[in-house]
């Protein structure tokens, strides 16, 4: 019973060593030519981008690199129990070759793949081949002991053993036996080293992912808080403004109905008062709607909405707009209200008599810059309007940068990713 158990364990260990060696040899035979081919094609394709050919070929080359890397991820999980998550940014299905090329080149995962290829064709090749070498090389030592040494009349080196006769051939067999003993322990581990090396180079930075999750959690919380505050503001404005005026109009109409026959003069006064209250209620509703989403923004886009905003400022303002097409409605809304908040701060606190607004799109970013010639000293701090702008932009992965030395000028730059 005990002997059968030991024999079964030995057979299992032998199969494990043999399987690791076969898998390592297969990986070595695949990794070297595959990595060399993918690396060379990618470099040539990227180098041809300036002349236009690479715009067409690069997406195909990089797609091949991703397929090669993903196949290694699958083998790492199935053969080594090492999971290497893929973190590629999605590309629009209808993207043209230009958008696909530069979308893939802006993806950090693409550059991780390209850095991994030279590692895979060198250190990866060696670590994949070693399990097979440790298992097969001892067989050569045994073959030398069985008489293969006679084929080499001038002698033969087996490892560090010079084989010149039968005695030294037995020494080679002894060395082969030691190597086979080491292979029993090292072969499966060496295959694991290969996959862990792959994960170290090909895997995404966990610290970066953790920081990304933290930022997204904070921006989500800020977005929820901002939405709740906006809803409370709308409710308060409706309750204290338009709703109160409409209630008053309703009461006036009831009084007018009772006074039409008894006191026509008083009824006419109340009619005029009700008309005035209804006009004021309508004005407040329009202002409220403009504060939620300005009609000019929905109808004519961000550029004209910011121009309309500048016309209402008490400070001379110049607006420069270079926006080919329109961004998504949420992005336009976020940019509009961010610019509006920055302009409000400039008018209230900077003491400027001139403001410049620049809107343009570059490198997949919507960039808005507001510059004033005021006294400077603006900072992003708790309780400041700029802190609120930063939270608003953070919801869209946007950034806010402020340059405001004492004495001015102040330049506030906002960037929001947009397709």
């Amino acid at each position: 019973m005990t002997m059968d158990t030991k024999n079964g364990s030995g057979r299992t260990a032998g199969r494990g060593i043999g399987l690791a060696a076969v898998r390592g040899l297969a990986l070595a035979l695949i990794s070297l030519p595959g990595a060399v081919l993918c690396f060379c094609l990618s470099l040539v394709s990227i180098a041809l981008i300036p002349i236009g050919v690479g715009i067409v070929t690069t997406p195909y080359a990089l797609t091949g690199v991703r397929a090669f890397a993903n196949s290694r991820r699958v083998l790492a999980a199935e053969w080594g129990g090492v999971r290497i998550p893929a973190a590629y940014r999605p590309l629009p299905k209808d993207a043209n070759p230009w958008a696909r090329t530069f979308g893939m080149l802006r993806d950090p995962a693409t550059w991780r793949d390209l850095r991994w290829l030279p590692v895979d064709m060198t250190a990866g090749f060696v670590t994949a081949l070693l399990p097979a070498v440790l298992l097969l090389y001892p067989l050569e030592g045994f073959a030398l002991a069985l008489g293969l040494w006679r084929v080499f009349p001038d002698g033969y080196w087996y490892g560090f053993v010079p084989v010149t006769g039968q005695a030294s051939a037995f020494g080679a067999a002894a060395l082969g036996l030691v190597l086979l003993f080491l292979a029993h322990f090292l072969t499966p581990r060496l295959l694991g080293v290969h996959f862990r090396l792959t994960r170290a180079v090909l895997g995404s930075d966990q610290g970066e992912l953790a920081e990304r999750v933290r930022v997204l959690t904070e921006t989500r919380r800020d977005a929820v808080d901002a939405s709740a505050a906006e809803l409370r503001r709308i409710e308060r404005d409706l309750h204290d403004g338009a709703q109160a005026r409409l209630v008053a109009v309703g009461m006036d109409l009831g009084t007018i109905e009772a006074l039409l026959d008894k006191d026509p003069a008083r009824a006419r006064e109340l009619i005029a008062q009700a008309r005035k209250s209804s006009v004021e209620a309508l004005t407040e509703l329009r202002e409220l709607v403009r504060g939620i989403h300005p009609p000019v923004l929905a109808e004519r886009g961000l550029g004209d909405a910011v121009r309309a905003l500048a016309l209402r400022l008490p400070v001379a303002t110049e607006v420069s707009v270079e926006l080919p097409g329109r961004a998504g409605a949420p992005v336009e809304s976020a940019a509009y209200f961010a610019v509006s908040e920055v302009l409000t701060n400039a008018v209230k606190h900077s003491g400027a008599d001139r403001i410049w607004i620049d809107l343009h799109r570059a490198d997949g970013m919507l960039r808005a810059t507001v510059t004033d010639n005021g006294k400077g000293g603006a900072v992003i701090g708790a309780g400041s309007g700029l802190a609120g702008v930063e939270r608003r932009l953070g919801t869209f992965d946007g950034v806010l940068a402020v340059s405001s030395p004492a004495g001015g000028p102040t330049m506030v730059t906002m960037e929001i990713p947009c397709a």
Side-chain angles (χ1 to χ4, degrees):
M1 194 77 177
T2 303
M3 185 179 296
D4 291 341
T5 302
K6 289 181 178 179
N7 290 337
S9 300
R11 286 194 297 269
T12 301
R15 285 196 297 268
I17 296 170
L19 185 60
V22 171
R23 287 175 171 176
L25 182 61
L27 277 174
L29 295 177
I30 293 172
S31 65
L32 183 59
V36 170
L37 179 64
C38 289
F39 189 68
C40 292
L41 288 178
S42 300
L43 286 186
V44 171
S45 185
I46 293 173
L48 292 176
I49 288 177
I51 64 174
V53 177
I55 297 295
V56 178
T57 60
T58 298
Y60 295 101
L62 295 181
T63 299
V65 172
R66 291 185 177 187
F68 184 64
N70 284 332
S71 66
R72 189 60 54 85
R73 290 185 175 97
V74 172
L75 293 180
E78 293 181 353
W79 291 358
V82 177
R83 302 202 173 274
I84 310 173
Y88 299 112
R89 293 177 181 174
L91 293 171
K93 293 182 179 180
D94 56 348
N96 56 42
W98 180 277
R100 288 183 62 83
T101 295
F102 289 98
M104 296 177 83
L105 289 178
R106 281 195 294 266
D107 190 347
T110 297
W111 298 103
R112 279 197 296 269
D113 289 352
L114 294 177
R115 287 195 300 268
W116 166 70
L117 291 175
V119 175
D120 191 51
M121 69 178 72
T122 53
F125 173 77
V126 172
T127 53
L129 190 61
L130 277 177
V133 171
L134 274 179
L135 185 62
L136 297 177
Y137 194 53
L139 300 182
E140 183 182 349
F142 300 150
L144 289 171
L146 292 175
L148 182 64
W149 64 272
R150 293 184 174 87
V151 179
F152 308 101
D154 297 330
Y156 179 80
W157 282 86
Y158 179 76
F160 56 84
V161 177
V163 180
T164 56
Q166 188 62 49
S168 56
F170 283 132
L175 178 58
L177 189 62
V178 172
L179 292 176
L180 189 62
F181 177 76
L182 294 176
H184 176 77
F185 298 99
L186 296 180
T187 296
R189 290 180 173 84
L190 285 173
L191 194 61
V193 169
H194 170 84
F195 290 126
R196 284 193 292 274
L197 173 66
T198 303
R199 180 176 60 186
V201 183
L202 194 58
S204 57
D205 186 357
Q206 296 300 316
E208 177 185 341
L209 291 177
E211 177 64 16
R212 177 70 176 147
V213 170
R214 184 190 67 80
V215 171
L216 288 176
T217 302
E218 290 183 357
T219 55
R220 182 183 63 182
R221 184 180 65 246
D222 291 338
V224 171
D225 293 344
S227 298
E230 187 69 9
L231 288 174
R232 288 194 299 270
R233 182 188 69 80
I234 294 171
E235 181 182 7
R236 183 179 62 253
D237 291 346
L238 285 173
H239 182 272
D240 297 340
Q243 178 179 328
R245 295 187 185 280
L246 291 175
V247 169
V249 169
M251 295 175 62
D252 288 342
L253 290 175
T255 305
I256 290 168
E257 186 178 6
L259 292 175
L260 277 176
D261 297 328
K262 299 179 182 180
D263 191 352
R266 176 60 180 163
R268 282 194 295 272
E269 292 178 5
L270 290 176
I271 289 173
Q273 182 178 330
R275 184 185 297 111
K276 180 181 178 182
S277 296
S278 66
V279 171
E280 291 175 350
L282 184 59
T283 301
E284 290 183 357
L285 286 174
R286 285 173 177 166
E287 291 295 329
L288 184 61
V289 170
R290 187 178 291 111
I292 298 172
H293 194 78
V296 66
L297 179 62
E299 296 169 3
R300 302 178 61 181
L302 180 62
D304 287 340
V306 171
R307 289 190 182 98
L309 190 64
L311 289 174
R312 296 198 297 269
L313 295 178
V315 178
T317 305
E318 295 182 14
V319 181
S320 174
V321 178
E322 294 182 10
L323 296 176
R326 296 187 58 175
V331 172
E332 284 192 337
S333 180
Y336 173 84
F337 286 109
V339 171
S340 177
E341 182 68 25
V342 172
L343 290 175
T344 300
N345 286 344
V347 171
K348 285 184 177 180
H349 307 297
S350 71
D353 58 13
R354 198 166 193 83
I355 297 175
W356 296 266
I357 305 171
D358 178 71
L359 294 173
H360 67 277
R361 187 181 301 170
D363 300 327
M365 305 290 286
L366 175 62
R367 183 173 299 152
T369 303
V370 178
T371 307
D372 67 67
N373 61 352
K375 60 186 179 182
V379 294
I380 304 175
S384 72
L386 292 178
V389 173
E390 186 176 42
R391 288 194 299 271
R392 182 189 292 273
L393 297 179
T395 307
F396 295 85
D397 274 351
V399 294
L400 174 71
V402 178
S403 172
S404 184
T410 296
M411 176 182 289
V412 179
T413 302
M414 296 155 280
E415 288 188 347
I416 306 176
C418 73

